[in-house]
């Protein structure tokens, strides 16, 4: 049916809508809701590609639309959360604007992904959804008082700079894509998913930054093993 060809782009637009809601929630200081809508955007981000393959309809417009939606949901939304959080604890009123490096480098990451043919089965650089989950979990955990993470000014700025660099770095990172499921081939992905599930059950929201750090470390280990 002809309407099915529009379904993937419709789902992508729901991704963008969720990202917009996440931004407004962030600026209202409702960080747990902002994080929830970032996760909802991630669900839509997964299903738009899945649906495109299911109905056998992909297009250049869909690819560009996907990146534009991701720029909002996984770039501007987490940057907004970090900005609002930094405003409440920074001594200098201008320092919080550093948070928007997350949005800028997310856009660069997405543009790089669109023209990089090496990233069909894995990633080069930290994926924007992973970066968004890290910052969304970090800010929400501190806001809800679940953690006593180090949260002083210069450390946070350094973390923003580091994560921005990782977005556009040449660091190979594994993807959670299973073409032909075999334990030997996908042991790292399975290990990561098991550890992530256990951590989330035990620590809940506080586990999210830890899970992303583990993802980065495992990717580095895999890269070193291949050399």
């Amino acid at each position: 049916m002809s309407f099915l060809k529009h379904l993937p782009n419709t789902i992508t637009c729901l991704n963008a809508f969720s990202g917009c809601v996440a931004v407004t929630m962030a600026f209202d200081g409702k960080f747990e809701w902002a994080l929830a809508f970032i996760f909802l955007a991630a669900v839509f981000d997964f299903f738009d590609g899945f649906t495109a393959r299911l109905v056998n309809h992909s297009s250049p417009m869909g690819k560009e639309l996907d990146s534009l939606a991701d720029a909002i949901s996984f770039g501007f939304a987490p940057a907004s959360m970090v900005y609002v959080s930094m405003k409440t604890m920074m001594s200098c009123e201008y320092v919080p604007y550093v948070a928007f490096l997350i949005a800028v480098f997310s856009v660069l990451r997405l543009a790089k992904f669109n023209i990089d043919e090496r990233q069909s089965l894995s990633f080069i650089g930290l994926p924007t959804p992973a970066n968004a989950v890290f910052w969304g979990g970090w800010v929400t955990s501190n806001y809800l008082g679940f953690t006593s993470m180090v949260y002083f000014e210069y450390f946070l700025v350094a973390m923003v700079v580091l994560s921005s660099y990782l977005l556009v770095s040449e660091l190979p990172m594994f993807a959670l894509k299973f073409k032909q499921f075999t334990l030997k081939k996908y042991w790292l992905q399975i290990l990561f998913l098991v550890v992530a599930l256990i951590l989330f059950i035990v620590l809940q929201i506080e586990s999210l930054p830890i899970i992303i750090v583990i993802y980065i470390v495992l990717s580095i280990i895999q890269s070193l093993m291949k050399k």
Side-chain angles (χ1 to χ4, degrees):
M1 299 177 69
S2 60
F3 78 89
L4 288 177
K5 69 179 183 180
H6 299 295
L7 187 56
N9 287 350
T10 301
I11 296 174
T12 304
C13 289
L14 290 173
N15 171 4
F17 180 82
S18 299
C20 290
V21 176
V23 170
T24 61
M25 292 296 174
F27 281 113
D28 286 342
K30 300 175 181 177
F31 295 131
E32 62 270 46
W33 281 104
L35 178 61
F37 276 97
I38 287 175
F39 269 111
L40 183 59
V43 172
F44 288 130
D45 185 48
F46 171 80
F47 278 104
D48 62 2
F50 176 81
T51 306
R53 291 187 293 272
L54 189 65
V55 302
N56 194 28
H57 183 82
S58 59
S59 66
M61 177 181 173
K63 182 179 180 181
E64 298 302 323
L65 185 63
D66 184 68
S67 292
L68 292 170
D70 287 355
I72 300 170
S73 301
F74 310 130
F76 189 42
S80 301
M81 293 180 71
V82 176
Y83 169 76
V84 173
S85 180
M86 290 174 77
K87 280 204 69 162
T88 65
M89 47 80 66
M90 293 294 183
S91 57
C92 177
E93 62 178 316
Y94 301 109
V95 172
Y97 290 104
V98 171
F100 292 112
L101 286 176
I102 296 169
V104 172
F105 278 84
S106 293
V107 171
L108 288 170
R109 167 76 176 88
L110 292 163
K112 181 181 177 183
F113 177 81
N114 283 352
I115 61 174
D116 193 340
E117 297 179 355
R118 299 172 297 168
Q119 301 191 55
S120 58
L121 298 177
S122 61
F123 299 115
I124 305 295
L126 183 64
T128 53
N131 192 54
V133 168
F134 174 86
W135 284 112
W138 181 287
V139 171
T140 305
S141 294
N142 281 276
Y143 172 70
L144 296 177
F146 290 165
T147 179
S148 57
M149 293 179 182
V150 178
Y151 209 49
F152 60 88
E153 194 167 317
Y154 296 106
F155 178 78
L156 195 56
V157 170
M159 289 294 294
V160 169
V161 172
L162 177 60
S163 73
S164 298
Y165 165 74
L166 288 174
L167 286 167
V168 296
S169 71
E170 287 293 304
L171 178 65
M173 297 194 173
F174 64 85
L176 297 176
K177 299 177 182 179
F178 300 90
K179 297 294 182 181
Q180 295 178 339
F181 186 83
T182 60
L183 183 60
K184 182 178 179 181
K185 185 175 181 180
Y186 294 108
W187 67 270
L188 190 67
Q189 287 90 334
I190 295 170
L191 173 64
F192 170 71
L193 288 173
V194 170
V195 172
L197 179 60
I198 293 171
L199 283 173
F200 187 75
I201 291 172
V202 175
L203 300 176
Q204 299 183 349
I205 292 176
E206 188 179 355
S207 71
L208 297 178
I210 300 171
I211 289 170
I212 301 305
V213 170
I214 291 173
Y215 169 64
I216 295 169
V217 171
L218 289 177
S219 294
I220 293 172
I221 292 172
Q222 183 187 52
S223 177
L224 292 174
M225 290 174 62
K226 289 182 177 180
K227 291 183 179 180

